[in-house]
């Protein structure tokens, strides 16, 4: 099924039932075997993941990105780009998190890359999901490369201010990112505070490694939970996370 142009509606329809979604993140830079990618993708798809997110911080070739997307084509869920830079764009995906790293000190990550990529995104027909990317706490490689000034884990009021600014600017998605492999994920207190203060679709990722933590964040108000590292390290745990949050029905729905 071609989902280009229908991704946001698809996600909304799931969320309107009170579902919390799970996106499986694949970092092409860490994929060494496309057969293995297919097996893993099938396992996650059969387990009930809602979408595949494709992205990473370090560079990869366009050809390899296309090969990864061709492998994922078999699965009937959205393939969404999660680009760290302008090289991670392919019309073989359905949609793109069209992101601005709001707490970067580097103008390039706030608006520069977006300007360079805009004509290409338009031409590709990719569905753009306007997303505020906000780095929290540890921040990982994304914080380092993106020259972020991470918001401390406990500073929920600052996170609210950023998320509100994003909403007032018209962004429909806010991604609270603790960084891939972060020792501590975003705290539920911050997720709850941001959810209560805004009406955006709230994405939370970075350092989520257990079903308990994922459920805690979902109950706090996350609409979409992202996991990346755990998929590479422990597929069974990844499935447990998917199953745990897909069983939830929460009145977090975005209006
Ligand atoms: C990173 O939020 C994502 O951008 C996922 O983080 O790899 O720690 O799951 P993990």
């Amino acid at each position: 099924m071609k989902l280009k142009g229908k991704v946001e509606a698809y996600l909304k329809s799931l969320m309107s039932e009170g579902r919390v979604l799970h996106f499986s993140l694949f970092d092409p830079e860490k994929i060494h075997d496309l057969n293995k990618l297919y097996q893993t993708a099938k396992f996650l798809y059969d387990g009930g993941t809602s979408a595949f997110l494709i992205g990473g911080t370090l560079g990869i070739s366009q050809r390899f990105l296309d090969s990864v997307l061709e492998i994922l084509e078999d699965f009937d869920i959205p393939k969404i780009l999660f680009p760290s830079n302008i090289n991670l764009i392919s019309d073989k995906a359905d949609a793109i998190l069209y992101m601005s790293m709001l707490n970067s000190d580097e103008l390039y990550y706030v608006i520069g890359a977006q300007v360079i990529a805009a004509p290409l995104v338009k031409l590709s027909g990719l569905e753009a999901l306007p997303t505020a990317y906000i780095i929290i706490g540890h921040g990982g490689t994304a914080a380092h490369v993106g020259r972020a000034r991470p918001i401390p884990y406990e500073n929920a009021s600052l996170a609210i201010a950023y998320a509100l600014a994003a909403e007032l600017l018209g962004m429909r998605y806010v991604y609270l990112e603790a960084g891939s492999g972060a020792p501590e994920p975003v705290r539920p207190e911050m997720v709850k505070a941001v959810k209560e203060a805004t009406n955006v679709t709230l994405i939370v990722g970075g350092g989520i490694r257990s079903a308990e933590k994922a459920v805690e964040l979902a109950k706090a108000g996350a609409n979409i939970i992202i996991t990346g590292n755990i998929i590479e390290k422990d597929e069974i745990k990844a499935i447990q996370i998917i199953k745990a949050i897909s069983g939830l029905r929460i009145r977090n729905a975005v209006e």
Side-chain angles (χ1 to χ4, degrees), residues 9-79:
Y10 171 79
L11 301 177
K12 269 199 158 179
S13 74
L14 292 177
M15 287 187 290
S16 70
E17 297 165 10
R19 284 175 198 270
V20 178
L21 311 186
H22 174 270
F23 287 5
S24 298
L25 172 62
F26 292 116
D27 181 347
E29 196 247 333
K30 293 185 187 153
I31 296 170
H32 306 295
D33 178 348
L34 290 176
N35 290 325
K36 170 84 176 71
L37 169 67
Y38 183 88
Q39 305 296 337
T40 305
K42 180 160 174 26
F43 195 55
L44 296 163
Y45 175 80
D46 291 344
T49 196
S50 311
F52 292 131
L53 209 54
I54 303 95
T57 307
L58 301 179
I60 47 136
S61 78
Q62 182 74 45
R63 193 184 299 169
F64 189 64
L65 175 63
D66 286 349
S67 318
V68 167
L69 287 161
E70 277 160 18
I71 295 282
L72 299 177
E73 226 161 59
D74 269 15
F75 306 99
D76 208 10
I77 51 174
K79 272 68 77 179

Side-chain angles (χ1 to χ4, degrees), residues 111-122:
I111 187 63
Q114 296 77 356
V115 169
I116 297 169
L120 188 58
V121 170
K122 187 78 182 163

Side-chain angles (χ1 to χ4, degrees), residues 25 82 133 175 177 179-182 205-209 226-230:
L25 172 62
F82 171 46
Y133 193 48
Y175 188 153
E177 169 72 275
S180 189
I208 301 171
R209 288 178 279 268
I226 312 282
T227 60
N229 259 294
I230 198 69

Side-chain angles (χ1 to χ4, degrees), residues 2-238:
K2 279 278 166 222
L3 284 161
K4 235 177 223 173
K6 298 182 196 152
V7 173
E8 186 155 20
Y10 171 79
L11 301 177
K12 269 199 158 179
S13 74
L14 292 177
M15 287 187 290
S16 70
E17 297 165 10
R19 284 175 198 270
V20 178
L21 311 186
H22 174 270
F23 287 5
S24 298
L25 172 62
F26 292 116
D27 181 347
E29 196 247 333
K30 293 185 187 153
I31 296 170
H32 306 295
D33 178 348
L34 290 176
N35 290 325
K36 170 84 176 71
L37 169 67
Y38 183 88
Q39 305 296 337
T40 305
K42 180 160 174 26
F43 195 55
L44 296 163
Y45 175 80
D46 291 344
T49 196
S50 311
F52 292 131
L53 209 54
I54 303 95
T57 307
L58 301 179
I60 47 136
S61 78
Q62 182 74 45
R63 193 184 299 169
F64 189 64
L65 175 63
D66 286 349
S67 318
V68 167
L69 287 161
E70 277 160 18
I71 295 282
L72 299 177
E73 226 161 59
D74 269 15
F75 306 99
D76 208 10
I77 51 174
K79 272 68 77 179
I80 305 171
L81 298 171
F82 171 46
S84 53
N85 213 327
I86 55 171
N87 63 316
L88 263 165
I89 297 171
S90 165
D91 62 2
K92 295 193 186 304
D94 300 303
I96 180 168
L97 291 186
Y98 198 71
M99 306 194 296
S100 172
M101 188 190 275
L102 292 190
N103 57 337
S104 170
D105 278 343
E106 183 68 69
L107 209 46
Y108 178 79
Y109 292 103
V110 182
I111 187 63
Q114 296 77 356
V115 169
I116 297 169
L120 188 58
V121 170
K122 187 78 182 163
L123 199 67
S124 68
L126 284 164
E127 185 178 347
L129 308 174
T131 304
Y133 193 48
I134 304 173
I135 305 291
I136 312 293
H138 184 275
T141 310
H144 179 88
V145 173
R147 296 195 194 159
R149 235 173 325 120
I151 297 175
Y153 282 114
E154 67 284 1
N155 196 337
S157 50
L158 193 50
I160 289 175
Y162 271 97
L164 271 177
E167 183 173 36
L168 296 175
L169 284 165
M171 295 171 175
R172 297 190 289 280
Y173 299 80
V174 166
Y175 188 153
L176 300 178
E177 169 72 275
S180 189
E184 181 184 353
V186 176
R187 292 186 185 159
E189 295 78 8
M190 181 182 278
V191 170
K192 185 168 189 292
V194 170
K195 189 67 204 176
E196 282 172 1
T198 62
N199 189 36
V200 293
T201 297
L202 193 53
I203 308 173
V204 179
I208 301 171
R209 288 178 279 268
S210 73
E212 293 72 29
K213 183 51 77 181
V215 167
E216 200 186 355
L217 291 165
K219 287 188 172 163
N223 297 107
I224 300 172
I225 299 280
I226 312 282
T227 60
N229 259 294
I230 198 69
I231 296 171
E232 293 151 38
K233 298 206 168 98
D234 190 339
E235 284 180 9
I236 304 286
K237 262 213 172 130

